[in-house]
Amino acid sequence: MDVTRRDFVKASAVAAAMAAAGGSLAACASKPDANQAGAADAQTHTAVCRFCGCGCGVLVETKDGKVTAVTGDPDNQSNRGLNCVKGYYLGKILYGKDRLTTPLIRDDAGTKGTESGLREASWEEALELVSTKLRETWKKDKSRLAFWGSGQQPITEGYLIAKFWKAGLLSNNIDPNARMCMASAVVGFMNVFQTDEPAGCYEDLDNADVFITWGANMAEAHPMLYSRLTAHKLQNESVRHIDITTMKTRTSASADKVLLFRPGTDLAIANCVANYLIQNKKYDADFVRDHLQFKMGTEDIGNAVEDGYDKSDLGKSVDKTTSCTFEEYAARLADYTLEYTSELSGVSVEDLADLCEVFADPDLRVMSLWTMGVNQHNRGTWMNHNLHNIHLLSGKYGKPGSTAFSLTGQPSACGTAREVGTFCHRLPADLVVANEAHRRYTEAVWNLPEGYLDEIKTPGYHTIKLFREMSKGNIDFLWSAHNNWAQSLPNLTRFLGEDGEHTGIFDTFIAVNEVYPTLTTRYADVVFPVAMWVEREGQFGNAERRTSVFEKAVEPVGDAKWDVWVLLEVARRVLEGETIDGEDAFTRLFGFIWDAGKDDFNGDSREVNRAIWEEYRTFSNPDLNERAAAINAEKKLKMEAKQLAPYDEYLVHHGLTWPVREVDGQWLPTKWRFANGKQADGYDEVGIEMYGDKGLAGGMSWYKSADRKPSVVFRPYEPPAQEPSAEFPFWFCTGRLLEHWHTGTMTRRVEELDRALPEALLSMNPDDAAALGVNDGDMVQLTSPHGTMQIKVSLAGRVEPPSGMVFAPFFAAETLINRVVQDYYCPLSKETDYKKTCVSIKKA
C-alpha cells in the first residue's frame, strides 16, 4: 500500500490518543468501502464536530435510524478530513445509557442538589410550569429573570433566544458560557478594530515560518489545528515553534523552544517585544505611519474581588482610552527592557531577545496563537491588546502565515455567542444595546416600532454578576441550555454553598435544557430533554469565522424535542395576550418560523433553519431590508463588513468563512481581514481601515474610535488579583485535556474515552511533592480562600508544572475542582481568571 506524507502525518497525530482510548488506528484510516456488507443501506450526511472550536467537518453514516460511523470530511477546509480521538468516537455521544428522554419536574424543592426528587412529566405539564413561572417573574420584576446560554448551541438557536429575551421580554439578563472563555478576545478585537473575530484563517498554519503559542495547549485542546502545525513543521525544516507558557504541556514537548514565565507577566513580555522593535527601529515604519493610531488606556483598574466592585457593570466606563502620539506610546514602553522583563518574568534575556528578533525580521511570517491562558486572565483584554500590538507594529497582520490568532474553545462560541448577540451587552453582528443607532437598526430587522428597544439600552448581568446575584437570592427564574454551570463555574462554594449550606440558588426556579443528567440538573425544577447534535439540523461558527451546517441524520431519542420548538412553545405561552403596535407579539416576532415549519415542525428543521438564517443574515446584508438599509446608510454603520451568504451556500461548500461577498454571481469567502487585497484572492475587499468608527460609543468608551485606523493601545503589566503567600503558596491552574470535553457530560458516556482518562488528577512538580511528603497516587487536600476539595496527585509528567504551580482538569464531577477556584475577572471583559488561584496543599 502506498502511504503519502499527508497520510503518515495524519496517522502519527492520532496514534497515541487512539491507543490510549483502546481504539484501532486501522479503523480510522479510511472510510468503509461502499461495497462492504450493509454499506449499501447506509446514508451519509455532512456535519460538524460537536466538540471544540476547531470546527472539524465530519461525515455521519446512519443505518436503521442510528448513527453507525463518523469520519472526517475531506471537503471541509477546517480539518480536511482529519479527526481527533474525540471526533472518532463522536457518534457514541448520542447513545449513553442514561440519556434524558422524558421531561422531568421537581415537586419537592427540598431535594435540590441531589440526584433524587425529579419525576417524569408530560411535555404539556413541563411547558406550562416553566411558562407560568417565567411570565410571573417577568410581570413582577424582569430584573429577576435570566437566561444562561452556550457556545455549544447552534447559531439559529442562539439567535432566537437572544431575540426572545431582548425583544420579547425586553431583558438583557442573558449571557453565554462563552463569557468564561472568549470575552477577553471579543473586547480586545473591538478595542483594536471596532469589529470582532480574527483576521486570519487556518490556512495560515500551512504558511507560517514561526509559530508562537501563548498560554495555549493546542496539542490537547485544539488537536486538529496542532496536527496542521506539526505537519507544516515536518515538511519544512526551517519552521520553528516557540511555546510561551507557565507550565510544560504536550504542546511544549514538540516545540523548538519553551519560555516558562511567571503567571501574569506575559503582559510584560509582549511589551518587551514592542519596546525592542521601537528602540531598535525594527518595526514596520510604513505600516505604522499609514495604518495605525495610538492610544493610552486607563491603568490601575483593580480587581473584582468583592460584589461591590464599582467597575463590574458593563454599562459603566471601566476604560477611558485617549489618543496619543507614537512617541508617547514608545515612551511608556521604555521600562520594558530585556533585563527588567527577564527579572520580572523569569525568562532569560537570551530567550527574550530571540523572541524579539523573530518579530523584528521582516522576512519571517509569524503566527501567534492563544486561547484560555491569555483570555482567562485578570488582565485578559489587556493581554489580547498587547498581542495585537506587536503584530501590528511589525506589520505581521492579515497576511498568509502572519497573523495574531485567537482560538475559541467551543464549537460555536463565535457563531452563536459572539455573532448573534447572546451577550448581555450585545445585539447581533457587533451591535451593542447601549448604542441608539444600533437599537434603531435592530428594530428595523426585527420589524419593531422605532424606540421599542430603548427599554434595554442598559446592559444586563454578565455571567459572574448573574450568579453572584442568584446566590444572594436576587434571581427568581433562570433558564439554562447546553451548559453545566454547577460544575464549570468558578468559586462554586459561593454559588452552591458548603455541604448543607443554603444559598439563593435553592430558591430560584431553574429550567434546564439537557441531554444527560448533570450536576446542574440536580438543581433544576424542570428538565427539558432536548435533541442532540444531528438529531436536528443546525450551524456552528468556528475559530476561523467558518460557518458550517450539520445536517439532521437521525430522529431524537425517546420524547426529546428540538430546542427551537421548546423555546417557541414557551414564548407562545408567555407572550399570550401581548401586542406590538396592536399585533399579536408572538406572531410578529416568531410567526414566520411556524410558517416555515408547516405541519411537522421537528421534522422540517431545514426549512425552519433557512427561515431563521435569512432573517439573521439581514443584519450583515442590509439591502435585504429597506428600512435597515436606510438606517445603515444614514448612520454609516457599515454592516456589510460582516456579510453572510444564503443558507444553501453553506451546504454546497461544506462551510464558508465570513465575510462572504457576492462577486459575479459567486459567493466568495474571506480568508484574511484587516489587510488590502482582492476578494477573489481571499482578502476582505473593505481593506484595513473601513471597520473603524461604527458609532460604537454609546456610553461604553472602549468602543470609541477617532477614525477608521486600527488602534494600538498601551497596556502595562499589573499583577494578578492574588499571588502566593505563606498561607496559600501554590498557583493552581485548570483546563482541558484531550480525551474529555468540558465537564465530561458527553465524553464520559463514551467507554473508550472514559477508560483512557477515568479521573481528574493533580499534576505536581516532583520536588514540591517530595517536600510535602506526597507520592504519586496520594490524595491531597487543596484549599484556597474560596473553598476546599480533595484530589489524587499525579507525577507522571503529562502536564509538568514548575515548582510552585499545580494543574488539574475540570471534567470530573466527583472531584469538582472549581470549589476552590477564584471568581475574579478581567474588569473589561468580565472573563474569569481560572489560571491563577492561590492554594495550599496537604496530604489528605
Side-chain angles (χ1 to χ4, degrees), residues 130 146-150 153 161 165 175 177 466-467 470 477-486 509-514 518 520-521 523-524 526-528 530 563 566:
V130 170
F147 186 94
W148 204 52
S150 174
Q153 294 175 276
I161 191 63
W165 228 252
D175 221 37
N177 60 5
L466 163 61
F467 282 95
M470 188 167 159
F477 179 96
L478 174 72
W479 192 354
S480 68
H482 299 282
N483 57 65
N484 186 13
W485 49 262
F509 183 91
I510 298 172
V512 175
N513 289 19
E514 241 327 334
T518 65
T520 299
T521 61
Y523 293 89
V526 173
V527 178
F528 290 132
V530 289
D563 287 75
V566 178

Short mmCIF file of all heavy atoms in Angstrom, two decimals, residues 130 146-150 153 161 165 175 177 466-467 470 477-486 509-514 518 520-521 523-524 526-528 530 563 566:
data_model
loop_
_atom_site.label_atom_id
_atom_site.label_comp_id
_atom_site.label_asym_id
_atom_site.label_seq_id
_atom_site.Cartn_x
_atom_site.Cartn_y
_atom_site.Cartn_z
N VAL A 130 -42.98 25.95 33.32
CA VAL A 130 -41.91 26.90 33.02
C VAL A 130 -42.49 28.22 32.52
O VAL A 130 -42.06 29.30 32.95
CB VAL A 130 -40.93 26.30 31.99
CG1 VAL A 130 -39.94 27.37 31.50
CG2 VAL A 130 -40.16 25.14 32.59
N ALA A 146 -33.45 35.44 34.16
CA ALA A 146 -32.18 35.38 33.42
C ALA A 146 -32.13 34.12 32.56
O ALA A 146 -32.82 33.13 32.83
CB ALA A 146 -31.00 35.39 34.38
N PHE A 147 -31.30 34.20 31.51
CA PHE A 147 -31.01 33.04 30.66
C PHE A 147 -29.50 32.91 30.56
O PHE A 147 -28.79 33.90 30.35
CB PHE A 147 -31.60 33.22 29.26
CG PHE A 147 -31.47 32.01 28.39
CD1 PHE A 147 -32.50 31.09 28.32
CD2 PHE A 147 -30.32 31.77 27.65
CE1 PHE A 147 -32.38 29.96 27.52
CE2 PHE A 147 -30.19 30.65 26.86
CZ PHE A 147 -31.23 29.73 26.79
N TRP A 148 -29.00 31.68 30.74
CA TRP A 148 -27.57 31.43 30.55
C TRP A 148 -27.41 30.40 29.45
O TRP A 148 -27.82 29.25 29.58
CB TRP A 148 -26.91 30.95 31.85
CG TRP A 148 -25.43 31.24 31.84
CD1 TRP A 148 -24.85 32.45 31.59
CD2 TRP A 148 -24.36 30.32 32.07
NE1 TRP A 148 -23.47 32.35 31.67
CE2 TRP A 148 -23.15 31.05 31.96
CE3 TRP A 148 -24.29 28.96 32.37
CZ2 TRP A 148 -21.90 30.47 32.14
CZ3 TRP A 148 -23.03 28.39 32.55
CH2 TRP A 148 -21.86 29.12 32.43
N GLY A 149 -26.85 30.85 28.33
CA GLY A 149 -26.75 30.03 27.14
C GLY A 149 -25.38 29.41 26.96
O GLY A 149 -24.60 29.29 27.91
N SER A 150 -25.06 29.08 25.70
CA SER A 150 -23.87 28.26 25.48
C SER A 150 -23.29 28.46 24.10
O SER A 150 -24.01 28.65 23.11
CB SER A 150 -24.25 26.79 25.65
OG SER A 150 -23.19 25.93 25.32
N GLN A 153 -24.63 25.79 21.58
CA GLN A 153 -25.90 25.86 20.87
C GLN A 153 -25.65 26.25 19.41
O GLN A 153 -24.78 27.06 19.12
CB GLN A 153 -26.81 26.93 21.50
CG GLN A 153 -27.28 26.64 22.91
CD GLN A 153 -28.06 27.80 23.48
OE1 GLN A 153 -27.49 28.75 24.00
NE2 GLN A 153 -29.38 27.74 23.37
N ILE A 161 -33.07 32.74 20.87
CA ILE A 161 -33.18 33.02 22.31
C ILE A 161 -32.80 34.46 22.58
O ILE A 161 -33.39 35.13 23.43
CB ILE A 161 -32.35 32.04 23.15
CG1 ILE A 161 -32.70 32.20 24.64
CG2 ILE A 161 -30.86 32.21 22.96
CD1 ILE A 161 -34.11 31.86 24.99
N TRP A 165 -35.43 37.03 24.35
CA TRP A 165 -35.10 37.71 25.61
C TRP A 165 -35.07 39.22 25.43
O TRP A 165 -35.62 39.96 26.24
CB TRP A 165 -33.76 37.18 26.14
CG TRP A 165 -33.82 36.81 27.59
CD1 TRP A 165 -33.26 37.49 28.64
CD2 TRP A 165 -34.49 35.68 28.16
NE1 TRP A 165 -33.53 36.84 29.82
CE2 TRP A 165 -34.29 35.73 29.56
CE3 TRP A 165 -35.25 34.64 27.64
CZ2 TRP A 165 -34.81 34.77 30.43
CZ3 TRP A 165 -35.75 33.68 28.50
CH2 TRP A 165 -35.55 33.75 29.87
N ASP A 175 -26.69 35.82 29.00
CA ASP A 175 -25.25 35.74 28.76
C ASP A 175 -24.93 34.29 28.42
O ASP A 175 -25.66 33.38 28.83
CB ASP A 175 -24.47 36.18 30.02
CG ASP A 175 -23.26 37.04 29.69
OD1 ASP A 175 -23.35 37.86 28.76
OD2 ASP A 175 -22.24 36.91 30.39
N ASN A 177 -22.03 30.90 28.20
CA ASN A 177 -20.81 30.43 28.86
C ASN A 177 -19.57 30.86 28.10
O ASN A 177 -18.45 30.76 28.64
CB ASN A 177 -20.85 28.92 29.07
CG ASN A 177 -20.97 28.12 27.78
OD1 ASN A 177 -20.95 28.67 26.68
ND2 ASN A 177 -21.12 26.80 27.91
N LEU A 466 -24.42 37.71 37.41
CA LEU A 466 -25.68 36.97 37.42
C LEU A 466 -25.69 35.92 38.52
O LEU A 466 -26.62 35.84 39.34
CB LEU A 466 -25.89 36.31 36.05
CG LEU A 466 -26.93 35.19 35.98
CD1 LEU A 466 -28.31 35.69 36.35
CD2 LEU A 466 -26.92 34.56 34.59
N PHE A 467 -24.65 35.09 38.57
CA PHE A 467 -24.65 34.01 39.56
C PHE A 467 -24.35 34.52 40.97
O PHE A 467 -24.81 33.92 41.95
CB PHE A 467 -23.70 32.91 39.13
CG PHE A 467 -24.28 32.03 38.04
CD1 PHE A 467 -24.01 32.27 36.71
CD2 PHE A 467 -25.13 30.99 38.37
CE1 PHE A 467 -24.57 31.48 35.72
CE2 PHE A 467 -25.69 30.19 37.39
CZ PHE A 467 -25.42 30.44 36.06
N MET A 470 -27.70 35.60 41.98
CA MET A 470 -28.51 34.40 42.21
C MET A 470 -28.18 33.78 43.57
O MET A 470 -29.08 33.35 44.31
CB MET A 470 -28.25 33.41 41.09
CG MET A 470 -29.17 32.20 41.08
SD MET A 470 -28.97 31.36 39.48
CE MET A 470 -29.58 29.74 39.91
N PHE A 477 -35.94 33.42 38.49
CA PHE A 477 -36.12 32.47 37.39
C PHE A 477 -34.83 32.42 36.57
O PHE A 477 -34.33 33.46 36.13
CB PHE A 477 -37.29 32.90 36.49
CG PHE A 477 -37.52 31.99 35.31
CD1 PHE A 477 -38.46 30.98 35.38
CD2 PHE A 477 -36.79 32.14 34.14
CE1 PHE A 477 -38.68 30.13 34.29
CE2 PHE A 477 -36.99 31.30 33.05
CZ PHE A 477 -37.94 30.29 33.13
N LEU A 478 -34.30 31.22 36.35
CA LEU A 478 -33.14 31.01 35.49
C LEU A 478 -33.44 29.88 34.53
O LEU A 478 -33.90 28.80 34.91
CB LEU A 478 -31.90 30.64 36.30
CG LEU A 478 -30.66 30.26 35.46
CD1 LEU A 478 -30.07 31.48 34.78
CD2 LEU A 478 -29.61 29.56 36.30
N TRP A 479 -33.18 30.13 33.24
CA TRP A 479 -33.26 29.09 32.22
C TRP A 479 -31.86 28.93 31.66
O TRP A 479 -31.24 29.91 31.23
CB TRP A 479 -34.24 29.52 31.13
CG TRP A 479 -34.64 28.46 30.16
CD1 TRP A 479 -34.15 27.18 30.06
CD2 TRP A 479 -35.63 28.58 29.13
NE1 TRP A 479 -34.77 26.50 29.04
CE2 TRP A 479 -35.69 27.34 28.46
CE3 TRP A 479 -36.47 29.62 28.72
CZ2 TRP A 479 -36.55 27.12 27.39
CZ3 TRP A 479 -37.33 29.39 27.65
CH2 TRP A 479 -37.37 28.15 27.00
N SER A 480 -31.34 27.73 31.66
CA SER A 480 -30.02 27.50 31.07
C SER A 480 -30.10 26.38 30.04
O SER A 480 -30.95 25.49 30.14
CB SER A 480 -28.98 27.15 32.14
OG SER A 480 -29.23 25.89 32.73
N ALA A 481 -29.23 26.44 29.05
CA ALA A 481 -29.27 25.48 27.94
C ALA A 481 -27.87 25.07 27.54
O ALA A 481 -27.00 25.91 27.32
CB ALA A 481 -30.01 26.07 26.75
N HIS A 482 -27.64 23.77 27.47
CA HIS A 482 -26.41 23.18 26.94
C HIS A 482 -25.17 23.71 27.65
O HIS A 482 -24.17 24.08 27.03
CB HIS A 482 -26.32 23.40 25.43
CG HIS A 482 -27.45 22.76 24.68
ND1 HIS A 482 -27.52 21.42 24.42
CD2 HIS A 482 -28.61 23.30 24.18
CE1 HIS A 482 -28.66 21.15 23.77
NE2 HIS A 482 -29.34 22.27 23.63
N ASN A 483 -25.26 23.80 28.95
CA ASN A 483 -24.10 24.11 29.78
C ASN A 483 -24.29 23.42 31.13
O ASN A 483 -25.40 23.02 31.47
CB ASN A 483 -23.90 25.61 29.94
CG ASN A 483 -25.12 26.28 30.53
OD1 ASN A 483 -25.49 26.02 31.67
ND2 ASN A 483 -25.78 27.15 29.76
N ASN A 484 -23.23 23.32 31.88
CA ASN A 484 -23.27 22.61 33.16
C ASN A 484 -22.66 23.50 34.22
O ASN A 484 -21.59 23.23 34.75
CB ASN A 484 -22.53 21.28 33.04
CG ASN A 484 -22.65 20.41 34.27
OD1 ASN A 484 -23.46 20.65 35.16
ND2 ASN A 484 -21.83 19.37 34.34
N TRP A 485 -23.35 24.61 34.51
CA TRP A 485 -22.78 25.65 35.36
C TRP A 485 -22.48 25.18 36.78
O TRP A 485 -21.59 25.72 37.45
CB TRP A 485 -23.69 26.88 35.40
CG TRP A 485 -25.14 26.63 35.68
CD1 TRP A 485 -26.15 26.54 34.76
CD2 TRP A 485 -25.77 26.46 36.96
NE1 TRP A 485 -27.36 26.32 35.37
CE2 TRP A 485 -27.16 26.27 36.72
CE3 TRP A 485 -25.31 26.45 38.27
CZ2 TRP A 485 -28.07 26.06 37.76
CZ3 TRP A 485 -26.21 26.24 39.31
CH2 TRP A 485 -27.57 26.04 39.06
N ALA A 486 -23.20 24.18 37.28
CA ALA A 486 -22.96 23.71 38.64
C ALA A 486 -21.63 22.96 38.76
O ALA A 486 -21.21 22.63 39.88
CB ALA A 486 -24.10 22.81 39.11
N PHE A 509 -36.24 29.38 40.72
CA PHE A 509 -36.85 28.38 39.84
C PHE A 509 -35.93 28.22 38.64
O PHE A 509 -35.62 29.19 37.93
CB PHE A 509 -38.25 28.83 39.38
CG PHE A 509 -38.94 27.80 38.54
CD1 PHE A 509 -39.76 26.86 39.12
CD2 PHE A 509 -38.77 27.77 37.15
CE1 PHE A 509 -40.40 25.89 38.35
CE2 PHE A 509 -39.41 26.82 36.37
CZ PHE A 509 -40.22 25.87 36.98
N ILE A 510 -35.49 26.98 38.39
CA ILE A 510 -34.47 26.73 37.38
C ILE A 510 -35.00 25.74 36.34
O ILE A 510 -35.46 24.64 36.68
CB ILE A 510 -33.18 26.18 38.02
CG1 ILE A 510 -32.60 27.21 38.99
CG2 ILE A 510 -32.16 25.80 36.95
CD1 ILE A 510 -31.44 26.69 39.81
N ALA A 511 -34.97 26.14 35.08
CA ALA A 511 -35.29 25.26 33.96
C ALA A 511 -34.00 24.97 33.19
O ALA A 511 -33.17 25.87 33.00
CB ALA A 511 -36.31 25.91 33.04
N VAL A 512 -33.83 23.74 32.76
CA VAL A 512 -32.59 23.33 32.12
C VAL A 512 -32.90 22.53 30.85
O VAL A 512 -33.69 21.59 30.89
CB VAL A 512 -31.74 22.46 33.07
CG1 VAL A 512 -30.50 21.93 32.36
CG2 VAL A 512 -31.33 23.24 34.31
N ASN A 513 -32.28 22.91 29.74
CA ASN A 513 -32.29 22.10 28.51
C ASN A 513 -31.06 21.19 28.54
O ASN A 513 -29.93 21.70 28.55
CB ASN A 513 -32.22 22.97 27.26
CG ASN A 513 -33.49 23.74 27.00
OD1 ASN A 513 -34.32 23.92 27.89
ND2 ASN A 513 -33.65 24.21 25.77
N GLU A 514 -31.24 19.88 28.56
CA GLU A 514 -30.09 18.98 28.69
C GLU A 514 -30.33 17.68 27.95
O GLU A 514 -31.44 17.35 27.55
CB GLU A 514 -29.80 18.68 30.17
CG GLU A 514 -28.48 19.08 30.73
CD GLU A 514 -27.26 19.05 29.84
OE1 GLU A 514 -27.21 18.29 28.84
OE2 GLU A 514 -26.33 19.81 30.11
N THR A 518 -26.74 15.89 34.87
CA THR A 518 -25.51 16.58 35.24
C THR A 518 -25.64 17.11 36.65
O THR A 518 -26.70 17.01 37.28
CB THR A 518 -25.24 17.78 34.29
OG1 THR A 518 -26.29 18.75 34.50
CG2 THR A 518 -25.23 17.35 32.84
N THR A 520 -25.84 20.15 37.23
CA THR A 520 -26.80 21.25 37.09
C THR A 520 -28.23 20.74 37.15
O THR A 520 -29.10 21.39 37.76
CB THR A 520 -26.54 22.00 35.77
OG1 THR A 520 -25.22 22.55 35.80
CG2 THR A 520 -27.54 23.14 35.59
N THR A 521 -28.53 19.60 36.54
CA THR A 521 -29.91 19.09 36.59
C THR A 521 -30.32 18.74 38.02
O THR A 521 -31.51 18.67 38.32
CB THR A 521 -30.10 17.87 35.68
OG1 THR A 521 -29.24 16.80 36.11
CG2 THR A 521 -29.81 18.22 34.23
N TYR A 523 -30.08 20.69 40.40
CA TYR A 523 -30.64 21.92 40.97
C TYR A 523 -31.86 22.41 40.17
O TYR A 523 -32.44 23.43 40.51
CB TYR A 523 -29.56 23.01 40.99
CG TYR A 523 -28.45 22.69 41.95
CD1 TYR A 523 -27.34 21.96 41.53
CD2 TYR A 523 -28.50 23.08 43.28
CE1 TYR A 523 -26.31 21.63 42.40
CE2 TYR A 523 -27.47 22.76 44.17
CZ TYR A 523 -26.38 22.03 43.72
OH TYR A 523 -25.38 21.70 44.60
N ALA A 524 -32.24 21.66 39.13
CA ALA A 524 -33.32 22.08 38.25
C ALA A 524 -34.69 21.78 38.85
O ALA A 524 -34.89 20.76 39.53
CB ALA A 524 -33.19 21.41 36.89
N VAL A 526 -37.27 22.02 36.48
CA VAL A 526 -37.76 21.35 35.28
C VAL A 526 -36.57 21.06 34.38
O VAL A 526 -35.71 21.92 34.18
CB VAL A 526 -38.78 22.23 34.51
CG1 VAL A 526 -39.14 21.59 33.18
CG2 VAL A 526 -40.04 22.45 35.34
N VAL A 527 -36.53 19.83 33.86
CA VAL A 527 -35.51 19.45 32.89
C VAL A 527 -36.21 19.13 31.57
O VAL A 527 -37.06 18.24 31.52
CB VAL A 527 -34.69 18.24 33.36
CG1 VAL A 527 -33.66 17.85 32.29
CG2 VAL A 527 -34.01 18.52 34.69
N PHE A 528 -35.84 19.89 30.53
CA PHE A 528 -36.35 19.61 29.19
C PHE A 528 -35.36 18.68 28.48
O PHE A 528 -34.19 19.06 28.27
CB PHE A 528 -36.48 20.89 28.37
CG PHE A 528 -37.57 21.83 28.81
CD1 PHE A 528 -37.31 23.18 28.98
CD2 PHE A 528 -38.86 21.36 29.01
CE1 PHE A 528 -38.32 24.05 29.36
CE2 PHE A 528 -39.88 22.22 29.40
CZ PHE A 528 -39.61 23.57 29.58
N VAL A 530 -33.72 17.46 25.36
CA VAL A 530 -33.68 18.09 24.05
C VAL A 530 -32.88 17.26 23.05
O VAL A 530 -32.07 16.41 23.42
CB VAL A 530 -33.12 19.52 24.13
CG1 VAL A 530 -34.11 20.45 24.81
CG2 VAL A 530 -31.78 19.55 24.87
N ASP A 563 -34.62 22.19 20.53
CA ASP A 563 -34.60 23.38 21.37
C ASP A 563 -35.46 24.51 20.80
O ASP A 563 -36.09 25.25 21.56
CB ASP A 563 -33.17 23.90 21.54
CG ASP A 563 -32.32 23.04 22.44
OD1 ASP A 563 -31.91 21.95 21.99
OD2 ASP A 563 -32.06 23.44 23.57
N VAL A 566 -39.00 23.92 21.73
CA VAL A 566 -39.20 24.17 23.17
C VAL A 566 -39.27 25.67 23.43
O VAL A 566 -40.17 26.16 24.13
CB VAL A 566 -38.06 23.53 23.99
CG1 VAL A 566 -38.24 23.84 25.48
CG2 VAL A 566 -38.00 22.03 23.77
#
